Amino acid sequence: MRGDWSGYRAWKAAWPARVEQWREREAARGGHGGRGPLGPPNGFTLLPWLLMGMGAISNLIQGDTPNPLVGGLGLLLFNSLYISVVFRAFDPRKREALSTRWSLAAMGAVTSALAIAYGGSWLLFFPLLGLATGTVVRGRRLGPVMFGLSALAGAIAVYRDGWGALGIFYGTFLSGMVTAAILALSETVGELRETRQELARAAVEQERLRFSRDLHDLLGHTLSVIVVKSEAARRIAPRDMDAALAQVADIESVGRQALTEIREAVTGYREASLAGELDRARGTLTAAGIEPVVRQSGPPLPPRTAALLGWVVRESVTNVIRHSAAATCEIEVRGAAGRARLVITDDGDGVGSTPPGSGLTGLAERLAAAGGTLHSGPAPGGGFRVTAELPVEEAMQDMAQETAQETVDGTGAESGAAVGTRSEESR
């Protein structure tokens, strides 16, 4: 017995895993795995409402209906039209087709004829007609159509069975309006799900694009620096081994820095600092035998603007080293009211005759997303020029200026305090 109980406990412990596997198989087949919504409504959802006509069928079977052949044919025609209309209503193209409207009109004529001829339980076909109308008619036309149909149903009901049958008016109106509201809500939910999936796909594409751009900019610049420093180490090694070893140490430092930047790019935290990129540009251009000229003017830039311009400096300097064969490279950063401008010009051969590479294209897309522009092409006096412009939000600019002013004021106050202390000491 002890062995039997241990087997039962093992089976019970494995049961949740088996249930989860079954749900995964059901989900793979397109099912819901025994949980979740039943799915959007369809034509089969509306078929059970035909049971409202069981009273008319009972009258036919019991012989309480005069001209049972006519009543039976009318009942068969109504059911056929109802099934056709409700199934066509869930196909947008068929729902708007003229044949569907004619089927609905024929269904209304059959319902009115049967209600006028027999009354009683046959009046319940009007709520079914209202339900079918609610599946077909949408938008602003629904209200007038349902009110007119309900008024017709109420008038026929009062004519046949007196004022006690006026509830057919409310039943017809509510069945149509509630059905239309539920179907509209279901369609809205479906559209929201499709929109959510589309947004998810767009987010994945944007992340892939971001990563490809970051990886291109990071590796392109880093590999260019490694190549330049390796060539420099090879040239100076026969003459000055210490200088060559210094270049090798720089290569190691650049490689380690590249690994850190790639990790940060993967996690999305990498932001290029403009000041840091300008310092790297000076060192890289000098190591490549290109004289750097860097000029900055204007107030401090907001972090986002500075980061985008840092990417432009990195990519442009990489292109200068790899393609220009230039002797001088000028980098000018100007911050003005509401606008920041970066101009990078070299006196090399220029690559204006060829299409821009993926790096410049990616930078142009980044700046365009931030409301800026990027232009590249031959410089007027020869060489190549890259011009980037970005809008600077006034609030961010004022914040940067206030920060700078506070720093200056704080430094001035500290200096004044220090001077006062020295004066007291001299006394």
Side-chain angles (χ1 to χ4, degrees), residues 19 46 158-159 172 189 200 224 242 266-267 274 310 360-361 370:
V19 172
L46 303 178
V158 171
Y159 168 75
T172 304
V189 171
S224 298
D242 292 337
V266 170
T267 54
L274 180 59
L360 291 178
T361 301

Coordinates of all heavy atoms in Angstrom, one line a residue, residues 19 46 158-159 172 189 200 224 242 266-267 274 310 360-361 370:
V19 N -0.9 19.4 -17.3 CA -1.9 20.4 -17.7 C -1.3 21.5 -18.5 O -1.8 22.0 -19.5 CB -2.6 20.9 -16.5 CG1 -3.5 22.1 -16.8 CG2 -3.4 19.8 -15.8
L46 N -25.3 33.4 -33.1 CA -26.7 34.0 -33.2 C -27.7 32.9 -33.6 O -28.9 33.2 -33.6 CB -26.7 35.1 -34.3 CG -25.8 36.3 -34.0 CD1 -25.9 37.3 -35.1 CD2 -26.1 36.9 -32.7
V158 N -50.0 45.7 -32.2 CA -51.2 46.3 -31.6 C -52.4 46.0 -32.5 O -53.5 45.7 -32.0 CB -51.0 47.8 -31.5 CG1 -52.4 48.5 -31.1 CG2 -50.0 48.1 -30.4
Y159 N -52.2 46.0 -33.8 CA -53.3 45.6 -34.7 C -53.8 44.2 -34.5 O -55.0 43.9 -34.5 CB -52.8 45.8 -36.2 CG -53.8 45.3 -37.2 CD1 -55.0 45.9 -37.5 CD2 -53.4 44.1 -37.8 CE1 -55.8 45.4 -38.5 CE2 -54.3 43.5 -38.8 CZ -55.5 44.2 -39.1 OH -56.3 43.6 -40.0
T172 N -38.0 44.5 -30.2 CA -37.4 44.6 -31.5 C -36.3 45.7 -31.4 O -35.2 45.5 -31.9 CB -38.4 45.0 -32.5 OG1 -39.5 44.0 -32.6 CG2 -37.8 45.1 -33.9
V189 N -12.4 45.8 -30.2 CA -11.4 45.0 -29.4 C -10.4 44.3 -30.4 O -9.2 44.3 -30.2 CB -12.1 44.0 -28.5 CG1 -11.1 43.0 -27.9 CG2 -12.8 44.7 -27.4
A200 N 3.9 46.3 -31.4 CA 4.9 45.5 -30.9 C 5.9 45.2 -32.0 O 7.1 45.2 -31.8 CB 4.3 44.2 -30.4
S224 N 38.6 51.7 -36.8 CA 39.4 52.7 -37.5 C 40.5 53.2 -36.6 O 41.7 53.3 -37.0 CB 38.6 53.9 -37.9 OG 37.6 53.5 -38.9
D242 N 59.5 52.5 -26.8 CA 58.6 52.9 -25.8 C 57.4 53.6 -26.3 O 56.3 53.4 -25.9 CB 59.4 53.9 -24.8 CG 60.5 53.2 -24.0 OD1 60.4 52.0 -23.8 OD2 61.4 53.9 -23.6
V266 N 23.9 47.3 -26.3 CA 22.9 46.2 -26.3 C 21.8 46.5 -25.3 O 20.6 46.2 -25.6 CB 23.6 44.9 -25.9 CG1 22.7 43.8 -25.7 CG2 24.6 44.5 -27.1
T267 N 22.1 47.0 -24.1 CA 21.1 47.3 -23.1 C 20.4 48.6 -23.3 O 19.4 48.9 -22.6 CB 21.7 47.3 -21.7 OG1 22.8 48.2 -21.7 CG2 22.2 45.9 -21.4
L274 N 29.1 64.6 -26.3 CA 29.8 65.5 -27.3 C 31.2 65.9 -26.8 O 32.1 65.8 -27.6 CB 28.9 66.7 -27.5 CG 29.5 67.8 -28.5 CD1 29.6 67.1 -29.8 CD2 28.5 69.0 -28.5
G310 N 27.2 64.2 -30.8 CA 28.3 63.3 -30.5 C 28.4 62.2 -31.5 O 29.5 61.8 -31.9
L360 N 26.1 57.6 -42.5 CA 25.5 58.9 -42.7 C 24.0 58.8 -42.8 O 23.2 59.6 -42.4 CB 26.1 59.6 -43.9 CG 27.6 60.0 -43.7 CD1 28.1 60.6 -45.0 CD2 27.7 61.0 -42.5
T361 N 23.5 57.7 -43.5 CA 22.1 57.5 -43.7 C 21.4 57.3 -42.3 O 20.3 57.9 -42.1 CB 21.8 56.4 -44.6 OG1 22.4 56.6 -45.9 CG2 20.3 56.2 -44.8
A370 N 14.4 63.6 -34.5 CA 14.5 64.6 -33.5 C 14.2 66.0 -34.0 O 14.3 67.0 -33.3 CB 15.9 64.6 -32.8

